[in-house]
Amino acid sequence: LLRKMACALAWVMRSVVLLATIVCVSSLYEDQVGVNDFHLANIGDVNTASFHADTQRKRVYFSTGANFVGALDSRSGEILWRHSLGATESVDAFAQEGRTLATVSGGGRYLRVWTSAEGSLLWDAQTGEGAMQEVADVKYVGDVDDDEHEDIAVAVGNSVILFSGAKGKRLWRWQSDDSKLVLSKIVYANAKAGSIKVVGMKGAGASIDTVVDIAIKLGTSKKGAKPLGRSCPSITSMGKYMACLDSSKTLYTWSLDDLSQSSHSLDSLAPGITVDSKVARLDFAAGSDIVLVHLSADACVVVRVTQDKAQGEHTFKGIGAGGFVVAIGADKNGDESVVQVTPAKGGGLELTMFSLKTKTTKRETYAASTWSAAEEGGLVALWVQPYVRKEGSLGVRAMLKSKSLKLTFMQQEKIVWERDEALAYVQHAALVDIPVPSPSHNELMDDEHIRLMNPIARLLKRTMTDAADLIEFVTTPPKATSSERTQASWDTVGVSLHHDLEPDRFGFKKVIVVITSPGVVAGIHSGSGDVVWQRYYPDARLERVFVTHGTATDGNLECIILAKSSAGGKDTSMVIYLQPLTGAELQKAEILPYTLVQAAMAPLVTKKNAQVVVGMDSEQRVHVFPDTEESRHLVAGKSGKIFFYLTEIGSSVMKGYVLQASKGGRELVAEEAWTVALPESEAITALAPHNVQETIRSAGRVLGNRAVLLKYVNANNLAVATESVGGQADSKEVSSAPTIGAKEPCVRIYLIDTVTGAIIHSVVHKDAKGPVNLVQTENTLVYNYWNNKKLRHEISVMELYENSKQEILTAGQMMMYNDSKTMYSSHGMQMEKPRVLSQTYIMPVGVKKFDVTQSMHGITTRNILVALANDQVLSLDRKFLDPRRPVGKPSADDMEEMLVPYTPFLPIVPTAVLSYNHTVQQLRGFAVAPARLESTSLMLAFGVDLFFTRVAPAKTFDCLGEDFNYTSLILAVVALASLSWIANWYANKSDLDKAWK
């Protein structure tokens, strides 16, 4: 009896320990924010910037090409506030005065006024301009209506509108009788002087040749629009004067009091400087009576304009590569200085400041390590703020923009901060493992080894590895300090000395390789969001990155980037070979003599365990990257088995091509294999190929009654979405009688086999329209659209199953079937089409993009990653998208299968929002990769912002949580062992006592 009691007690204690290890946490605690994720907020390409007039207010206001307006902290570069006007509403004009900031956007249609300190919207108004305009301008004019607020004038189209600065009330609107007049710039506005002067052109894109003088109180013009007397490509205004430069090497100036004109030869402004009329121009920056005239590519003269003459005050000359930039600013006393920044001869930057008051020059130098013309591509723009230091000397704060869109803030010969704004334009990304050097970890990294070993061998290998790791952990002394770093054996440039690139067995630490539209390639650390390395290709439009060798214990990895190059005036393709961990070029970037139209990574592996990229050019020739004898031989061996497809968004025709090798594999060509011509009324709007890198663990789905649905898994499936007009537009016979629903918009979804061109399945959604987004995973297709009739967003799901009568009764039969379906052949496809299960759900918000989580071995449930219209990231459990969700009360089999009862609305669970309180501004797409832990997937969401996090669809079942109570576990184990020993001792003693009786 005592022995039974001891055994029961032992089982109870073991159950307690087991339950103590089960942790189900769906929420995120405050102290976990930023631990396993990062959010990198960007602003985009800065078009306009200005410092706060008070030098003690450390703010820089900006508007950007990504349609943002906001303010930066000049001390740290952090974003104080920002507002996105949307992906389509560009900022046309920008002005800051005192405590407010005004923006005109949307093609001159919207005026908004913000508080400059917090970025709160005070008011907004519509200008009344119906059509979008290419140019618009805004300017503070002073207090016109005597309400103690600066009023605001807007020039857009052929109109000038004055708004009250207090609440946005329209005071007046002046409109020209000439509908072709386009007013582009407010050159003068002063409430005390009672005048607003605006220049414009007769037609968009023409030269400025018209000026309008408007009475600021009444909004009337006595003379209307009158000729300027000179045709100017652009005009710069400065206090009481304005100036323009024409192609005849002549500077024209006008007095804004009476519009009297004077002309000045450029040769007389800077004697000894050769004027290049092809590049001569006026700088956008100007002072109270100062204009900056660029005479050539390496010379700029500071010109002071008076009533009837112009005089050169100082000449700046550029040195080194990368050009130079100049800007003008004033300190708190109103004393102006002109600043030039140019690349230094020995590298770095050189800043020169010329004081217009004292006529003195001051120079500052910045080390070669701070800026490189080769990495940044040259200088583009400069904004400065002179200030008076405590000891009375003159200093300057300068914000510099490079061609790579990097912002560099300079002060007192130090780089205060930098911002890599090219990251706001990420087009594609790939996640690369940091190599684990120990050979015992190969089975955790290499899928090929996993496929070659049986389950028992894998278990033994993992057990031996864990034992070796335990011995190494016990015998290896800890490091003296965590800050000590040693250069990795694979690091040839030293990035591992500045960033934490230590091996990570679980695969959480990765280098994210991103390519951007400005031509910047960067490697970002997944743990911190820091830029590990960066490269700039000025004449390239980067399109796609392929990680051809992403797993190697020696760290010799490779990625291939395909791009379009505009160098030499020709639009051809370009290939770049990089080491993804360090950014080092493995080969010099090569400009190809042809243009690629399609490229993909083939499932072919070289002896160095690297994959091959195969591409087809516009003349249907096939090329291999890297172009080696071994890779060409591998591709030629797959002649007739590699297929390409081509189509364009907006067309209705798709074509398929098959690779053919000739002349012993020396020539590779693509021959047309099939054509799919959809109705002309349909236009292809979205495509979603099957992810060939996806790991599929099971080829069947076990139902509640233990029956098995065999998945229809076709790696060659291509999902195609089209939009068209239904009704009569699709009918061959046109009836004169009215048709209900005629010309209603329709969305059609096709599943096309890209090997044979066969349409596997199609579905039509009437009275629906896009935008449509699609994603495929295993045998499932998920897509969204707008229901035009019900006025709501909907998500539809299709699951494809085999129309086979094959019965699977045992787990062994299931394993054999899985092995037989690892390689799919479209040519062996049965004539019967798959069985399709579908269902539609209502989505409360719009959808921008879909993606799917990935795991190492394909065992973990896959969640659908949804980019919501509010720029949040949702991890949607696939159980909510199951087309087999029962309607009504679930049956016993449904409950056994754990199917969720059907409801038409998809829930947005707050704890399933991966971005929690972060907004990924203008979210465009995802990059997903598995960690080495089966439970965890890694996800990068990119738009203007970048957001990285871990996703565990089935929770972290293969590791303990960070808040796991190890103390309780140890005490429970010790207590269990002690009680077991005591119970065993007592039982033995009782048996011995009984034996003596």
Side-chain angles (χ1 to χ4, degrees):
L1 178 62
L2 290 174
R3 185 180 296 275
K4 292 181 178 179
M5 291 176 60
C7 293
L9 180 61
W11 277 109
V12 170
M13 295 301 298
R14 290 168 185 167
S15 300
V16 170
V17 173
L18 178 62
L19 291 175
T21 61
I22 299 176
V23 180
C24 295
V25 179
S26 299
S27 59
L28 189 70
Y29 294 102
E30 185 177 358
D31 59 352
Q32 292 177 315
V33 173
V35 175
N36 297 326
D37 60 75
F38 71 80
H39 177 241
L40 185 60
N42 300 306
I43 58 177
D45 181 13
V46 175
N47 294 330
T48 309
S50 65
F51 286 84
H52 197 286
D54 186 355
T55 57
Q56 299 302 317
R57 304 290 183 105
K58 305 298 192 298
R59 295 194 189 102
V60 183
Y61 304 101
F62 62 82
S63 66
T64 72
N67 307 337
F68 276 84
V69 58
L72 297 175
D73 188 338
S74 63
R75 293 166 294 189
S76 62
E78 294 181 356
I79 299 174
L80 296 176
W81 62 268
R82 62 171 181 166
H83 290 288
S84 171
L85 303 184
T88 58
E89 187 180 336
S90 60
V91 181
D92 305 310
F94 162 94
Q96 188 271 327
E97 184 73 28
R99 297 182 178 181
T100 62
L101 182 146
T103 59
V104 174
S105 58
R109 290 181 291 181
Y110 308 108
L111 170 66
R112 294 181 177 91
V113 175
W114 321 80
T115 60
S116 59
E118 301 88 8
S120 302
L121 180 64
L122 292 177
W123 54 265
D124 61 349
Q126 295 189 13
T127 62
E129 195 68 25
M132 294 183 62
Q133 303 294 324
E134 294 184 5
V135 292
D137 197 16
V138 61
K139 197 176 186 68
Y140 285 86
V141 301
D143 188 5
V144 178
D145 54 358
D146 300 325
D147 60 356
E148 299 182 355
H149 287 81
E150 289 267 344
D151 298 322
I152 302 169
V154 176
V156 56
N158 65 341
S159 302
V160 178
I161 311 104
L162 184 67
F163 292 90
S164 171
K167 295 184 179 180
K169 178 183 177 182
R170 181 187 296 182
L171 300 180
W172 53 256
R173 178 191 183 99
W174 178 89
Q175 188 170 14
S176 173
D177 296 332
D178 187 355
S179 60
K180 295 183 179 180
L181 177 64
V182 178
L183 300 174
S184 60
K185 188 177 182 63
I186 302 173
V187 294
Y188 181 76
N190 191 304
K192 294 181 180 180
S195 174
I196 294 179
K197 293 182 175 64
V198 189
V199 295
M201 63 201 80
K202 296 294 182 67
S207 296
I208 297 173
D209 56 4
T210 305
V211 62
V212 179
D213 189 356
I214 303 173
I216 202 167
K217 287 286 186 180
L218 303 176
T220 58
S221 177
K222 294 181 179 180
K223 300 181 180 180
K226 68 174 186 177
L228 190 59
R230 184 61 53 183
S231 180
C232 302
S234 64
I235 279 186
T236 299
S237 60
M238 44 189 164
K240 296 182 179 180
Y241 304 95
M242 65 179 179
C244 88
L245 193 66
D246 68 357
S247 58
S248 62
K249 298 184 181 181
T250 304
L251 174 67
Y252 292 91
T253 61
W254 289 265
S255 170
L256 292 174
D257 291 332
D258 54 5
L259 294 177
S260 59
Q261 176 184 308
S262 58
S263 61
H264 318 276
S265 173
L266 293 185
D267 296 324
S268 64
L269 299 177
I273 301 296
T274 302
V275 179
D276 187 348
S277 59
K278 294 182 180 179
V279 299
R281 61 181 176 87
L282 293 184
D283 202 281
F284 68 90
S288 58
D289 58 353
I290 296 295
V291 63
L292 306 177
V293 183
H294 291 261
L295 301 178
S296 63
D298 56 359
C300 177
V301 60
V302 180
V303 179
R304 185 182 297 276
V305 178
T306 57
Q307 182 66 28
D308 56 355
K309 71 175 185 177
Q311 179 181 350
E313 295 282 333
H314 184 78
T315 301
F316 290 104
K317 294 183 179 180
I319 55 177
F324 70 98
V325 285
V326 291
I328 188 169
D331 59 24
K332 63 180 181 180
N333 300 321
D335 299 328
E336 294 179 332
S337 298
V338 183
V339 180
Q340 177 207 38
V341 176
T342 182
K345 288 184 178 180
L349 296 168
E350 183 176 295
L351 183 147
T352 304
M353 180 169 59
F354 175 73
S355 173
L356 292 168
K357 179 182 178 182
T358 63
K359 311 297 183 183
T360 57
T361 300
K362 178 183 177 181
R363 286 184 172 84
E364 294 179 358
T365 58
Y366 294 83
S369 59
T370 59
W371 191 90
S372 169
E375 295 179 1
E376 310 303 339
L379 307 178
V380 176
L382 176 69
W383 299 273
V384 298
Q385 183 186 46
Y387 65 94
V388 180
R389 296 174 178 168
K390 293 181 180 180
E391 69 275 10
S393 62
L394 191 62
V396 64
R397 302 183 183 100
M399 189 172 75
L400 179 71
K401 185 177 85 169
S402 304
K403 287 184 179 179
S404 64
L405 303 190
K406 174 176 283 189
L407 293 179
T408 306
F409 196 91
M410 306 181 296
Q411 185 177 356
Q412 297 183 9
E413 298 189 345
K414 294 181 181 179
I415 300 297
V416 182
W417 51 262
E418 293 178 328
R419 293 186 61 91
D420 295 300
E421 292 305 328
L423 299 180
Y425 302 94
V426 173
Q427 302 296 311
H428 189 239
L431 282 72
V432 182
D433 281 328
I434 298 175
V436 177
S438 176
S440 63
H441 294 161
N442 279 354
E443 87 286 352
L444 301 176
M445 301 173 61
D446 197 337
D447 289 338
E448 187 65 27
H449 290 178
I450 294 174
R451 286 193 292 267
L452 292 177
M453 291 189 295
N454 58 49
I456 297 177
R458 290 201 298 267
L459 177 62
L460 293 175
K461 184 67 174 177
R462 182 176 291 275
T463 304
M464 294 171 60
T465 299
D466 291 340
D469 288 344
L470 179 61
I471 296 172
E472 182 181 0
F473 175 76
V474 173
T475 58
T476 303
K479 292 183 179 180
T481 60
S482 59
S483 60
E484 292 181 0
R485 292 196 180 107
T486 57
Q487 187 166 345
S489 58
W490 43 262
D491 183 9
T492 58
V493 297
V495 295
S496 58
L497 296 175
H498 306 286
H499 302 275
D500 180 17
L501 297 179
E502 290 294 325
D504 175 20
R505 177 177 178 180
F506 293 149
F508 295 149
K509 285 194 299 186
K510 294 181 183 290
V511 173
I512 308 171
V513 180
V514 298
I515 59 175
T516 67
S517 56
V520 172
V521 185
I524 302 175
H525 196 288
S526 65
S528 60
D530 295 335
V531 176
V532 177
W533 56 265
Q534 178 177 313
R535 285 192 168 272
Y536 177 57
Y537 297 91
D539 298 322
R541 297 197 311 275
L542 307 178
E543 296 181 335
R544 190 76 185 275
V545 55
F546 299 95
V547 181
T548 55
H549 196 186
T551 301
T553 57
D554 57 3
N556 293 323
L557 310 183
E558 179 189 60
C559 70
I560 295 177
I561 299 173
L562 297 180
K564 290 289 191 302
S565 174
S566 57
K570 295 182 179 180
D571 195 7
T572 59
S573 290
M574 178 180 180
V575 60
I576 303 167
Y577 299 89
L578 293 180
Q579 215 286 14
L581 300 178
T582 65
E585 285 191 331
L586 302 177
Q587 300 179 31
K588 187 177 180 180
E590 180 183 0
I591 298 178
L592 306 174
Y594 46 81
T595 301
L596 294 174
V597 294
Q598 179 65 290
M601 194 156 59
L604 304 173
V605 181
T606 65
K607 294 180 180 178
K608 294 183 179 180
N609 203 30
Q611 289 187 271
V612 178
V613 175
V614 181
M616 182 178 75
D617 65 17
S618 55
E619 298 181 0
Q620 298 183 18
R621 293 174 300 183
V622 177
H623 307 273
V624 182
F625 307 97
D627 193 1
T628 63
E629 189 68 28
E630 180 187 7
S631 60
R632 293 184 68 86
H633 178 73
L634 286 172
V635 174
K638 294 293 182 180
S639 178
K641 298 180 180 180
I642 295 179
F643 293 81
F644 302 89
Y645 66 88
L646 285 182
T647 187
E648 291 183 2
I649 299 297
S651 70
S652 59
V653 178
M654 293 185 61
K655 291 187 177 182
Y657 300 85
V658 60
L659 169 71
Q660 298 292 347
S662 60
K663 297 183 180 180
R666 292 190 301 272
E667 288 189 6
L668 303 174
V669 296
E671 296 181 356
E672 186 173 331
W674 53 265
T675 299
V676 173
L678 303 175
E680 294 183 358
S681 61
E682 299 184 27
I684 296 174
T685 58
L687 303 169
H690 201 285
N691 185 1
V692 295
Q693 305 293 330
E694 185 178 59
T695 304
I696 300 176
R697 190 66 178 180
S698 175
R701 174 175 177 172
V702 180
L703 307 183
N705 59 1
R706 296 299 184 269
V708 177
L709 285 177
L710 301 180
K711 298 177 182 178
Y712 180 85
V713 181
N714 184 354
N716 305 316
N717 262 0
L718 176 68
V720 181
T722 67
E723 293 184 44
S724 64
V725 176
Q728 294 182 359
D730 283 342
S731 177
K732 294 182 180 179
E733 297 180 1
V734 179
S735 173
S736 59
T739 304
I740 298 177
K743 297 185 179 180
E744 63 183 9
C746 293
V747 170
R748 288 177 171 84
I749 306 297
Y750 297 91
L751 287 177
I752 300 177
D753 190 298
T754 55
V755 171
T756 62
I759 297 179
I760 300 171
H761 183 71
S762 65
V763 64
V764 58
H765 298 274
K766 295 182 178 180
D767 208 359
K769 62 181 181 179
V772 181
N773 299 281
L774 314 99
V775 68
Q776 287 196 75
T777 175
E778 296 187 74
N779 64 322
T780 304
L781 171 66
V782 179
Y783 59 94
N784 75 296
Y785 54 89
W786 171 260
N787 188 322
N788 209 39
K789 182 177 181 180
K790 300 293 185 179
L791 299 178
R792 66 193 184 194
H793 299 280
E794 294 183 352
I795 291 182
S796 292
V797 57
M798 290 193 298
E799 287 189 356
L800 282 69
Y801 294 95
E802 298 276 3
N803 259 326
S804 173
K805 297 181 180 179
Q806 180 178 358
E807 292 187 0
I808 296 179
L809 303 177
T810 65
Q813 292 178 351
M814 189 70 229
M815 293 179 64
M816 293 178 61
Y817 185 79
N818 288 341
D819 292 339
S820 69
K821 297 296 289 184
T822 54
M823 297 298 292
Y824 188 90
S825 172
S826 291
H827 294 291
M829 184 175 62
Q830 298 179 358
M831 294 302 294
E832 292 185 4
K833 292 187 176 181
R835 176 186 175 188
V836 180
L837 305 180
S838 62
Q839 188 58 273
T840 299
Y841 301 93
I842 301 171
M843 189 67 179
V845 296
V847 175
K848 287 186 173 183
K849 195 76 174 179
F850 287 120
D851 213 316
V852 184
T853 60
Q854 302 292 337
S855 63
M856 187 72 177
H857 306 294
I859 300 174
T860 305
T861 303
R862 290 181 171 88
N863 277 11
I864 305 298
L865 298 174
V866 186
L868 302 177
N870 60 359
D871 291 332
Q872 294 274 344
V873 180
L874 174 68
S875 178
L876 186 58
D877 198 324
R878 279 184 62 187
K879 68 182 180 182
F880 296 117
L881 290 173
D882 195 329
R884 298 183 62 253
R885 289 175 61 178
V887 178
K889 184 179 180 180
S891 64
D893 291 341
D894 295 335
M895 296 176 67
E896 176 71 20
E897 198 177 344
M898 294 187 292
L899 295 178
V900 180
Y902 175 80
T903 57
F905 290 93
L906 288 175
I908 298 182
V909 183
T911 53
V913 179
L914 301 178
S915 51
Y916 46 101
N917 63 346
H918 289 306
T919 299
V920 187
Q921 294 286 356
Q922 300 180 24
L923 179 55
R924 292 189 299 270
F926 299 101
V928 182
R932 296 193 190 106
L933 285 180
E934 173 60 26
S935 65
T936 307
S937 178
L938 305 178
M939 181 272 303
L940 174 74
F942 56 85
V944 170
D945 295 350
L946 302 180
F947 179 77
F948 175 86
T949 190
R950 304 176 190 174
V951 188
K955 312 302 178 189
T956 51
F957 58 83
D958 49 2
C959 66
L960 298 178
E962 295 180 358
D963 56 348
F964 182 79
N965 194 338
Y966 292 94
T967 303
S968 299
L969 177 62
I970 294 173
L971 291 177
V973 171
V974 172
L976 174 63
S978 300
L979 290 174
S980 299
W981 182 83
I982 293 172
N984 188 55
W985 174 83
Y986 189 77
N988 290 336
K989 184 177 180 302
S990 299
D991 291 343
L992 184 61
D993 291 341
K994 288 181 180 180
W996 281 102
K997 290 182 179 180

